[in-house]
Amino acid sequence: MTTAPPPVVGPSPVAAGGRAGRVPARFVPVLVTFGLFVALFAVGGLRYEAFASGQVLLNLLIDNAFLVVLAVGMTFVILTGGIDLSVGSVVALSTMVTAAMLRAGWSAPVVIVAVLAGGALFGLAMGAVIHYLEIQPFIVTLAGLFLARGLCYLIDLSSIPITDPLFRDLSQTAIPLGEDMFLTPSVLVALAAVAVGAYVLHLTRFGRTVYAVGGNQQSALLMGLGVGRARVGVYVISGFCSALGGLLFSVYLLSGYSLNAVGMELDAIAAVVIGGTLLTGGSGYVLGSLLGVLVLGTVQTIISFEGTLSTWWVKIVIGLLLLAFVVLQRILAVGPRRRRAPAPAPSAPAGRTDPPQGDG
Amino acid sequence: MTAVPQPGPDAAPLLEMTGISVAFGPVRALDGVDFRLHAGEVHALMGENGAGKSTLIKALTGVYPVDAGRVVLDGAEVAFAGPAQAQAAGISTVYQEVNLCPNLSVAENLLLGREPRRWGRIDGRGVRRRAREVLARLHLDVDPASPLDSHSIAVQQLVSIGRAVQVDCKVLILDEPTSSLDADEVAELFRVISRLRADGVAILFVTHFLDQVYAISDRTTVLRNGRLVGEYRTAELPRLQLVSAMVGRELETLEQLERVPAEPASQAVAPVLAASGVSRRGAIEPVDLVVRPGEVVGLAGLLGSGRTELARLLFGADRADTGEITVDGTVLPMRTPRDAISAGVAFTSENRGAEGVVGDLTVRDNIVLAMQAARGLRRIPRRAQDEAAARWIEVLDIRPPDPDALLRNLSGGNQQKVLLARWLATGPRLLILDEPTRGIDVGAKAQIQALVADLAREGMGVVYISAELEEVVRLADRVLVLRDRRPVAELAGEDVEVDRVMELIATGHGEPDAERRGGADWEYGRSDA
């Protein structure tokens, strides 16, 4: 090793992933989503006169506040490489429980606390099964989907109106913003959820462990991180967010109904993926998920402005967008790996390992 | 390189393991091994596959429970329940694969789980400052905020060392950290290791590259088949002696195999396999290899010399970057093992458990697997399956002779026989055997070797790989010697003998053009260890 050739590649070939004004690769998907949102909005503004107003923008948030909250919870789950299919059903169940408890005469604050705790417990149960019994998240949360939906019918087959004054007030409150624009309390809740989600993910050990688990669970374990706590915790968070989303949905519709939010879990997943979070885990931001929801909302708004187009065009556009984003992620994920040193021959590890001579 | 405070034989070692035994079921992975490690030394742990290096490390760090023996660290007896406990006591391990999270930044990877916090939240500035301190200690010029996967494997490996040593670290275990690094990267790693040694860290270094042992280690302990062969001062240990300590001389009296040397006329016979200039980046440099019908060609070399990599290229399990492979005169596309199989090539992997047998299937199912694959979707009639199973169970003396036995309940030797049976049932023209006798008992070893000799006599071409040189030499008509991922020499006829092969492996000599790699200041020992 004395006469080593001049180093072709220094020991630190890329000293900085994003120095010199270049955007780090991990932010690219979020920026793309942001760009897409701006572009979509511009298209809407050019085509329709009334479109490019601040209130249309705010309506996106008002109409999708519950979806934003769901997407925040879903982001946590997907960051660990998991999935939560139960969220739509838990939203419906939460609306039913809320309406039924209010009808039975419970006070609104008690109902709210009970529903939130119930959602978190539901998530805790699923997370515990997933982690400790080592069962695929897909199947466990699918079971949760059916269970929660079934429980709705157990409460009531028909829609239950909500007459509670607090819920009515929340539903009718408009927070004025400037001249003729307004927000609703639901939007504030949703934005708070995004802020808290970002804080937890980036500024707590729990949050960093969520990313570590999604990056490489085995390594996270060997690093001595609280892998179990993170894996169970994300489902608790998602369950809590589902219940919170259900409460916002109750406020939005002022009723509880078993058929609410059918398929909403898929909207949430779509928003998270369009927001740039990798389905394999380890990479993504709640801010991206918020943008993802806004993109979905904009598509919906444009198509409703169009008037002549049927609503299933929304599904078609969302399907295409989803596909485009998954392909984009693939390109972004494969690109840097190709540029790096060639991957060691897959055969090599087999040739190097020194396993105990147990042989089964 | 810093002068090493050579601890005298009387100085109390920092870590002392005595009489360590670890068994997996009936297999003794470690048998009464002693190991000592002093502060401020780099101690190489050497041995071939199955020698027990990894087991010893895992016994030390509490991954495997120790069946017998004691571990004394810093004068106190210890027994760890797991790597976390070992780390808390100052024993950190860096594995061959980088066990970090590629999606996070360098700083986060250094500090995950022990980030400095303020008011309950992670103190980002503190994280970066601590990370910079660690990187400075290792003299690594890396931006702590850059994502880990923007760096080469070498830098990632150094970051994991940084993670290991930033807590109070007395013992640093490096388990084959260099296996995927190139020469410059290894030099960088060694610079860091030397610094840590100067700081008084005791470093246990596992590698299979001889040059690296001589470049960095102060002392060397050699294991073979789970037993201690010896502890040496590296500078006083001739290479040849080291290799022979690792490879060993098989003293068991195997039945002397009557190998009829390949008839002289065989030169004229068209080869069953001809590979020219076959190579793959990072695995093996261009190799030419010819195997004629009835010939056994041995591949000899240490672990990591490229012997397995070459076998995988010949079978199409990995794609070659260059070169051409012909079987029976036809050029193979060699994109997947399917191409090789349909041309009549069979391959048994050294990693029998993961890449060979299917433990949850019966002996019969395992035997007919390759036959079935050749037939596609058409079912093999039950009667034919039974016949095949019964025949091969008898021919290979598979025990228990029960076609319905689940494979995972068979011993290693019998699993290997089932694996052989699977391929023999397809009637291959060329058989590539990678370590077919590893980890199996002496009786089964002899049977498998005798079988290989028989198959060759019947006209099959065989490529035979084994870490045990005696075995290769006994069976092979010709031996291709590999060293550091390149062919060094091909021996034939009279030249095929253990000492000669060992010399080639140790030195690359034999041919005058050998001294390619400078920097080795060892004595070329001719002693017949």
Side-chain angles (χ1 to χ4, degrees), chain B residues 335-390:
Chain B
R335 275 192 297 271
T336 67
R338 262 186 103 98
D339 301 323
I341 292 169
S342 59
V345 180
F347 170 66
T348 66
S349 162
E350 63 172 344
N351 195 350
R352 174 166 68 232
E355 298 176 7
V357 296
V358 186
D360 288 328
L361 292 182
T362 62
V363 170
R364 180 196 302 108
D365 292 337
N366 268 284
I367 289 177
V368 299
L369 213 52
M371 287 165 72
Q372 182 68 68
R375 285 175 65 116
L377 290 176
R378 280 174 305 131
R379 212 179 107 72
I380 297 175
R382 179 57 182 251
R383 181 185 299 240
Q385 292 189 24
D386 284 337
E387 274 170 16

XYZ file of all heavy atoms in Angstrom, chain B residues 335-390:
416
model
N -26.907 -14.847 -19.061
C -27.547 -13.749 -18.347
C -28.099 -14.216 -17.022
O -28.062 -13.493 -16.042
C -28.653 -13.138 -19.199
C -28.124 -12.100 -20.168
C -29.261 -11.324 -20.773
N -30.118 -12.203 -21.556
C -29.921 -12.449 -22.848
N -28.935 -11.887 -23.477
N -30.738 -13.254 -23.497
N -28.616 -15.409 -16.996
C -29.169 -15.940 -15.760
C -28.728 -17.391 -15.623
O -28.298 -18.010 -16.595
C -30.703 -15.924 -15.782
O -31.147 -16.866 -16.766
C -31.254 -14.555 -16.113
N -28.854 -17.932 -14.416
C -28.511 -19.347 -14.227
C -29.303 -20.264 -15.155
O -28.833 -21.331 -15.514
C -28.868 -19.589 -12.764
C -28.724 -18.271 -12.106
C -29.155 -17.276 -13.144
N -30.482 -19.841 -15.590
C -31.279 -20.674 -16.490
C -30.502 -21.059 -17.730
O -30.584 -22.192 -18.193
C -32.511 -19.888 -16.947
C -33.750 -20.172 -16.196
C -34.892 -19.429 -16.853
N -35.690 -20.357 -17.641
C -36.803 -20.884 -17.177
N -37.233 -20.578 -15.986
N -37.496 -21.725 -17.914
N -29.786 -20.060 -18.297
C -29.015 -20.342 -19.497
C -27.991 -21.438 -19.219
O -27.796 -22.345 -20.015
C -28.276 -19.075 -19.976
C -29.252 -17.952 -20.262
O -30.342 -18.250 -20.764
O -28.906 -16.786 -19.975
N -27.330 -21.301 -18.067
C -26.299 -22.267 -17.721
C -26.918 -23.641 -17.487
O -26.412 -24.653 -17.957
C -25.548 -21.792 -16.477
N -28.029 -23.659 -16.794
C -28.653 -24.944 -16.465
C -29.071 -25.660 -17.748
O -28.830 -26.848 -17.920
C -29.866 -24.728 -15.541
C -29.394 -24.234 -14.169
C -30.649 -26.025 -15.380
C -30.507 -23.745 -13.279
N -29.669 -24.900 -18.657
C -30.140 -25.581 -19.856
C -28.975 -26.048 -20.716
O -29.138 -26.930 -21.547
C -31.093 -24.685 -20.649
O -30.426 -23.511 -21.007
N -27.788 -25.475 -20.503
C -26.620 -25.951 -21.233
C -25.962 -27.123 -20.513
O -24.957 -27.643 -20.977
C -25.615 -24.818 -21.421
N -26.502 -27.511 -19.377
C -25.960 -28.663 -18.668
C -24.944 -28.327 -17.599
O -24.083 -29.130 -17.268
N -25.034 -27.120 -17.038
C -24.125 -26.736 -15.963
C -24.898 -26.791 -14.642
O -26.043 -26.334 -14.567
C -23.573 -25.309 -16.168
C -22.631 -24.927 -15.040
C -22.874 -25.202 -17.507
N -24.282 -27.359 -13.630
C -24.907 -27.404 -12.305
C -23.979 -26.740 -11.303
O -22.752 -26.772 -11.463
C -25.174 -28.844 -11.897
N -24.564 -26.138 -10.284
C -23.755 -25.370 -9.325
C -24.325 -25.559 -7.927
O -25.516 -25.371 -7.711
C -23.807 -23.893 -9.717
C -23.233 -22.933 -8.697
C -21.885 -22.952 -8.399
C -24.048 -22.011 -8.054
C -21.361 -22.057 -7.472
C -23.523 -21.118 -7.129
C -22.175 -21.146 -6.839
N -23.476 -25.948 -7.005
C -23.942 -25.991 -5.616
C -23.205 -24.900 -4.858
O -21.985 -24.832 -4.875
C -23.663 -27.344 -4.943
O -22.263 -27.520 -4.815
C -24.241 -28.489 -5.760
N -23.977 -24.045 -4.221
C -23.405 -22.891 -3.552
C -22.737 -23.288 -2.250
O -23.101 -24.287 -1.622
C -24.508 -21.879 -3.277
O -24.092 -20.976 -2.296
N -21.745 -22.493 -1.854
C -21.122 -22.726 -0.542
C -22.101 -22.427 0.576
O -21.969 -22.912 1.681
C -19.895 -21.829 -0.392
C -20.264 -20.368 -0.411
C -19.119 -19.447 -0.064
O -18.123 -19.908 0.479
O -19.250 -18.245 -0.331
N -23.077 -21.596 0.238
C -24.039 -21.198 1.257
C -25.255 -22.103 1.144
O -26.307 -21.709 0.697
C -24.429 -19.741 1.030
C -25.110 -19.157 2.228
O -25.451 -19.885 3.164
N -25.339 -17.860 2.207
N -25.054 -23.331 1.568
C -26.021 -24.389 1.351
C -27.390 -24.037 1.909
O -28.416 -24.268 1.293
C -25.454 -25.642 2.007
C -26.293 -26.831 2.056
C -25.412 -28.002 2.429
N -24.925 -27.923 3.789
C -23.662 -28.035 4.139
N -22.744 -28.179 3.236
N -23.304 -27.968 5.406
N -27.393 -23.442 3.109
C -28.678 -23.183 3.761
C -29.495 -22.148 3.012
O -30.689 -22.347 2.767
N -28.845 -21.030 2.601
C -29.609 -19.935 2.013
C -29.774 -20.087 0.514
O -30.779 -19.663 -0.045
C -28.917 -18.609 2.319
N -28.800 -20.697 -0.154
C -28.840 -20.714 -1.613
C -28.919 -22.125 -2.165
O -28.715 -22.346 -3.346
C -27.588 -20.023 -2.177
C -27.499 -18.577 -1.780
C -26.212 -17.927 -2.264
O -25.461 -18.566 -3.011
O -25.977 -16.769 -1.883
N -29.170 -23.090 -1.327
C -29.187 -24.453 -1.821
C -30.477 -25.167 -1.492
O -31.462 -25.040 -2.197
N -30.446 -25.849 -0.379
C -31.572 -26.709 -0.045
C -32.756 -25.885 0.460
O -32.616 -24.744 0.874
C -31.162 -27.725 1.032
C -30.101 -28.637 0.488
C -30.720 -27.029 2.290
N -33.933 -26.508 0.374
C -35.140 -25.894 0.913
C -35.542 -26.704 2.140
O -36.021 -27.818 2.027
C -36.275 -25.899 -0.125
C -37.470 -25.138 0.403
C -35.790 -25.315 -1.433
N -35.286 -26.118 3.293
C -35.405 -26.866 4.536
C -36.788 -27.384 4.840
O -36.959 -28.428 5.470
N -37.803 -26.684 4.357
C -39.166 -27.069 4.720
C -39.771 -28.064 3.743
O -40.927 -28.433 3.886
C -40.052 -25.822 4.811
C -39.714 -25.005 6.040
O -39.326 -25.619 7.052
O -39.813 -23.770 5.984
N -38.987 -28.448 2.734
C -39.495 -29.477 1.822
C -38.860 -30.819 2.184
O -37.847 -30.884 2.870
C -39.163 -29.115 0.371
C -39.895 -27.899 -0.205
C -39.496 -27.705 -1.657
C -41.386 -28.043 -0.079
N -39.453 -31.870 1.657
C -38.918 -33.200 1.955
C -37.703 -33.475 1.095
O -37.391 -32.743 0.156
C -39.962 -34.281 1.638
O -40.252 -34.227 0.246
C -41.237 -34.056 2.430
N -37.034 -34.562 1.418
C -35.867 -34.986 0.652
C -36.275 -35.193 -0.808
O -35.599 -34.744 -1.734
C -35.292 -36.284 1.254
C -34.241 -36.874 0.328
C -34.704 -35.999 2.625
N -37.424 -35.854 -1.023
C -37.867 -36.121 -2.386
C -38.078 -34.800 -3.137
O -37.588 -34.613 -4.252
C -39.161 -36.911 -2.374
C -39.667 -37.207 -3.789
C -41.110 -37.649 -3.828
N -41.365 -38.831 -3.022
C -42.028 -38.817 -1.866
N -42.524 -37.696 -1.394
N -42.231 -39.926 -1.196
N -38.801 -33.889 -2.530
C -39.082 -32.615 -3.195
C -37.799 -31.884 -3.546
O -37.678 -31.298 -4.609
C -39.935 -31.714 -2.288
C -41.322 -32.275 -2.101
O -41.749 -33.061 -2.972
O -41.964 -31.949 -1.088
N -36.839 -31.939 -2.640
C -35.585 -31.257 -2.901
C -34.838 -31.895 -4.060
O -34.212 -31.201 -4.860
C -34.706 -31.268 -1.646
C -34.912 -30.031 -0.806
O -34.432 -28.960 -1.146
N -35.658 -30.168 0.279
N -34.908 -33.216 -4.144
C -34.167 -33.899 -5.210
C -34.788 -33.599 -6.567
O -34.086 -33.357 -7.546
C -34.112 -35.418 -4.931
C -33.182 -35.692 -3.741
C -33.620 -36.179 -6.165
C -33.098 -37.128 -3.328
N -36.125 -33.586 -6.652
C -36.744 -33.407 -7.972
C -36.847 -31.935 -8.383
O -37.295 -31.638 -9.471
C -38.145 -34.055 -8.044
C -38.046 -35.544 -7.803
C -39.108 -33.399 -7.092
N -36.415 -31.036 -7.511
C -36.599 -29.608 -7.779
C -36.005 -29.167 -9.116
O -36.681 -28.516 -9.922
C -35.942 -28.812 -6.642
C -36.572 -27.493 -6.248
C -38.050 -27.653 -5.966
C -35.883 -26.949 -5.009
N -34.760 -29.557 -9.380
C -34.123 -29.098 -10.617
C -34.706 -29.822 -11.829
O -34.840 -29.244 -12.900
C -32.610 -29.320 -10.536
N -35.066 -31.109 -11.648
C -35.718 -31.836 -12.735
C -37.008 -31.130 -13.118
O -37.333 -30.937 -14.289
C -36.067 -33.265 -12.289
C -34.899 -34.200 -12.152
S -35.376 -35.677 -11.212
C -36.402 -36.520 -12.397
N -37.745 -30.761 -12.089
C -39.027 -30.096 -12.326
C -38.809 -28.764 -13.052
O -39.541 -28.431 -13.976
C -39.737 -29.864 -10.990
C -41.094 -29.221 -11.107
C -42.107 -30.150 -11.768
O -42.497 -31.156 -11.207
N -42.516 -29.808 -12.974
N -37.782 -28.055 -12.612
C -37.511 -26.765 -13.245
C -37.210 -26.946 -14.723
O -37.631 -26.156 -15.556
C -36.335 -26.078 -12.543
N -36.527 -28.032 -15.055
C -36.183 -28.273 -16.453
C -37.431 -28.614 -17.267
O -37.493 -28.378 -18.467
C -35.168 -29.411 -16.536
N -38.431 -29.197 -16.613
C -39.633 -29.617 -17.344
C -40.673 -28.523 -17.430
O -41.685 -28.694 -18.112
C -40.265 -30.814 -16.637
C -39.510 -32.084 -16.863
C -40.114 -33.181 -16.041
N -41.466 -33.481 -16.489
C -41.822 -34.644 -16.997
N -40.948 -35.588 -17.139
N -43.056 -34.859 -17.346
N -40.477 -27.457 -16.714
C -41.477 -26.396 -16.753
C -42.720 -26.803 -15.987
O -42.628 -27.373 -14.907
N -43.883 -26.559 -16.579
C -45.117 -26.760 -15.825
C -45.599 -28.205 -15.850
O -46.476 -28.567 -15.089
C -46.226 -25.843 -16.379
C -46.007 -24.368 -16.093
C -47.085 -23.535 -16.754
C -46.016 -24.119 -14.581
N -45.051 -28.986 -16.741
C -45.535 -30.375 -16.776
C -45.106 -31.091 -15.510
O -43.951 -31.015 -15.106
C -44.990 -31.087 -18.009
C -45.785 -30.742 -19.251
C -45.134 -31.356 -20.471
N -43.741 -30.968 -20.585
C -42.740 -31.825 -20.793
N -42.972 -33.101 -20.907
N -41.506 -31.376 -20.904
N -46.039 -31.784 -14.930
C -45.781 -32.432 -13.653
C -44.943 -33.678 -13.857
O -45.102 -34.387 -14.860
C -47.123 -32.815 -13.049
C -47.180 -32.792 -11.565
C -48.574 -33.177 -11.125
N -48.564 -34.510 -10.560
C -48.035 -34.786 -9.375
N -47.498 -33.833 -8.663
N -48.032 -36.017 -8.913
N -44.039 -33.902 -12.900
C -43.308 -35.163 -12.936
C -44.185 -36.185 -12.219
O -44.606 -35.943 -11.089
C -41.961 -35.036 -12.209
C -41.097 -34.009 -12.929
C -41.265 -36.386 -12.155
C -39.797 -33.734 -12.230
N -44.500 -37.305 -12.862
C -45.372 -38.280 -12.204
C -44.791 -38.717 -10.865
O -43.572 -38.813 -10.708
C -45.413 -39.452 -13.184
C -44.825 -38.970 -14.445
C -44.042 -37.736 -14.170
N -45.676 -38.988 -9.939
C -45.248 -39.360 -8.611
C -44.298 -40.546 -8.637
O -43.309 -40.593 -7.921
C -46.492 -39.679 -7.760
C -46.188 -40.098 -6.341
C -45.360 -39.000 -5.650
N -45.017 -39.405 -4.295
C -45.560 -38.850 -3.222
N -46.425 -37.869 -3.347
N -45.218 -39.266 -2.033
N -44.618 -41.487 -9.524
C -43.789 -42.672 -9.579
C -42.348 -42.310 -9.961
O -41.386 -42.795 -9.363
C -44.378 -43.652 -10.604
C -43.584 -44.946 -10.728
C -44.166 -45.790 -11.831
N -45.558 -46.140 -11.517
C -45.993 -47.401 -11.396
N -45.167 -48.387 -11.563
N -47.246 -47.645 -11.127
N -42.208 -41.411 -10.940
C -40.868 -41.000 -11.360
C -40.153 -40.269 -10.226
O -38.951 -40.445 -10.020
C -40.962 -40.103 -12.594
N -40.916 -39.476 -9.505
C -40.310 -38.772 -8.364
C -39.774 -39.766 -7.351
O -38.661 -39.643 -6.862
C -41.360 -37.894 -7.660
C -41.829 -36.726 -8.484
C -42.688 -35.788 -7.643
O -42.585 -35.757 -6.423
N -43.549 -35.043 -8.303
N -40.620 -40.767 -7.046
C -40.207 -41.772 -6.059
C -38.972 -42.510 -6.521
O -38.041 -42.754 -5.753
C -41.351 -42.754 -5.809
C -42.430 -42.137 -4.933
O -42.098 -41.181 -4.195
O -43.577 -42.587 -5.004
N -38.975 -42.838 -7.819
C -37.832 -43.575 -8.348
C -36.556 -42.759 -8.220
O -35.531 -43.260 -7.769
C -38.064 -43.926 -9.825
C -38.840 -45.209 -10.002
C -39.263 -45.406 -11.445
O -38.695 -44.720 -12.333
O -40.166 -46.227 -11.671
N -36.653 -41.490 -8.633
C -35.470 -40.633 -8.563
C -34.984 -40.520 -7.122
O -33.792 -40.673 -6.841
C -35.793 -39.255 -9.131
N -35.914 -40.281 -6.226
C -35.529 -40.111 -4.832
C -34.877 -41.376 -4.307
O -33.794 -41.342 -3.710
C -36.748 -39.739 -3.991
N -35.511 -42.507 -4.564
C -34.988 -43.773 -4.038
C -33.602 -44.046 -4.617
O -32.678 -44.439 -3.900
C -35.942 -44.916 -4.386
